[in-house]
């Protein structure tokens, strides 16, 4: 199991603060792993730092800062940001960890039920987001759509990873469309979501001016279910909107970041 996951499951009712998470031995090394600008490494602790920075900018502590305040009212009718407590305090949907690194019997249904595990939210700060699929899709549209209430076109342009794999807090998700990027309908971007027991993905498709949110209460090693669903659903919707014949699409899960294949 990964180090923090193992710690969480061992201490199921422990509420880890952002400071606790930044203080664990494998984070608080006292030195940089590499000089900034020389390499790239994905780091979930950056979300912790971002949440603390936002709280500071809004003159609050992490415990009192309301992240939802920046989300348009029309996009948060069923949205909550968890600070302490287990998933059961925020949703009736149980989450199940079936990863190969869960420290238990890997890939075996139903998996580890995380409903009572407090650190699913813990001190992740900026990523402690729980919402209905409709809210998630609406919020995604407000971020990337042409009539955003929170971002200027210049900010949206910085986030758009059109010429790279990852932009500013935004993944290039063209591979989930199953189409060539020479086709405007083959362009998609957004972000993957994963926490212990849950997985999701939100996307924006500029050619259709459409957002899409998919969630799953089963966490697997390759996080394939949300992406697999996008592969099928998007092309059905695209076919309906454009009037073109539907394609036969399937999702290839040979790697952690799989891709959609359409014929």
């Amino acid at each position: 199991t990964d180090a923090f996951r193992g710690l969480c499951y061992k201490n199921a009712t422990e509420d880890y603060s952002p400071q606790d998470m930044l203080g664990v031995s494998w984070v608080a090394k006292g030195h940089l792993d590499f000089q900034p600008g020389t390499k790239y490494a994905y780091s979930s602790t950056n979300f912790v730092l971002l949440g603390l920075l936002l709280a500071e900018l809004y003159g609050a502590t992490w415990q009192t800062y309301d992240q939802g305040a920046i989300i348009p009212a029309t996009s948060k009718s069923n949205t909550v940001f968890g600070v302490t407590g287990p998933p059961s305090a925020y949703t009736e949907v149980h989450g199940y960890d079936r990863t190969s690194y869960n420290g238990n019997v890997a890939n075996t249904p139903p998996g580890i039920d995380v409903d009572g595990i407090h650190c699913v939210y813990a001190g992740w700060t900026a990523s402690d987001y729980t919402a209905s699929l409709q809210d998630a899709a609406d919020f995604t549209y407000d971020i990337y759509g042409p009539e955003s209430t929170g971002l200027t076109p210049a900010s949206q342009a910085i986030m758009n990873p059109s010429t790279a794999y990852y932009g500013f807090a935004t993944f290039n998700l063209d591979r989930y469309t199953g189409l060539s990027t020479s086709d405007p309908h083959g362009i998609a971007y957004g972000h993957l979501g994963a926490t212990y027991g849950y997985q999701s993905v939100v996307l924006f498709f500029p050619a259709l001016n459409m957002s899409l949110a998919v969630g799953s209460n089963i966490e697997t090693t390759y996080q394939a279910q949300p992406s697999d669903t996008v592969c099928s659903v998007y092309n059905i919707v695209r076919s309906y909107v454009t009037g073109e014949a539907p394609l036969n699409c399937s999702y290839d899960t040979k790697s952690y970041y799989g891709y959609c294949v359409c014929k």
Side-chain angles (χ1 to χ4, degrees), residues 63-105:
Q63 286 72 22
T64 61
Y65 171 57
D66 178 15
Q67 292 190 75
I70 65 173
I71 301 177
T74 55
S75 301
K76 60 178 181 182
S77 58
N78 292 289
T79 293
V80 64
F81 284 87
V83 177
T84 60
S88 59
Y90 303 97
T91 177
E92 296 178 353
V93 180
H94 287 232
Y96 297 93
D97 177 355
R98 292 187 195 170
T99 62
S100 61
Y101 40 81
N102 64 15
N104 204 316
V105 181

Side-chain angles (χ1 to χ4, degrees), residues 19 32 89 139 168 210 228 236:
Q19 290 79 8
L32 296 174
F139 186 31
F168 190 75
M210 181 189 87
D228 193 344
I236 292 172

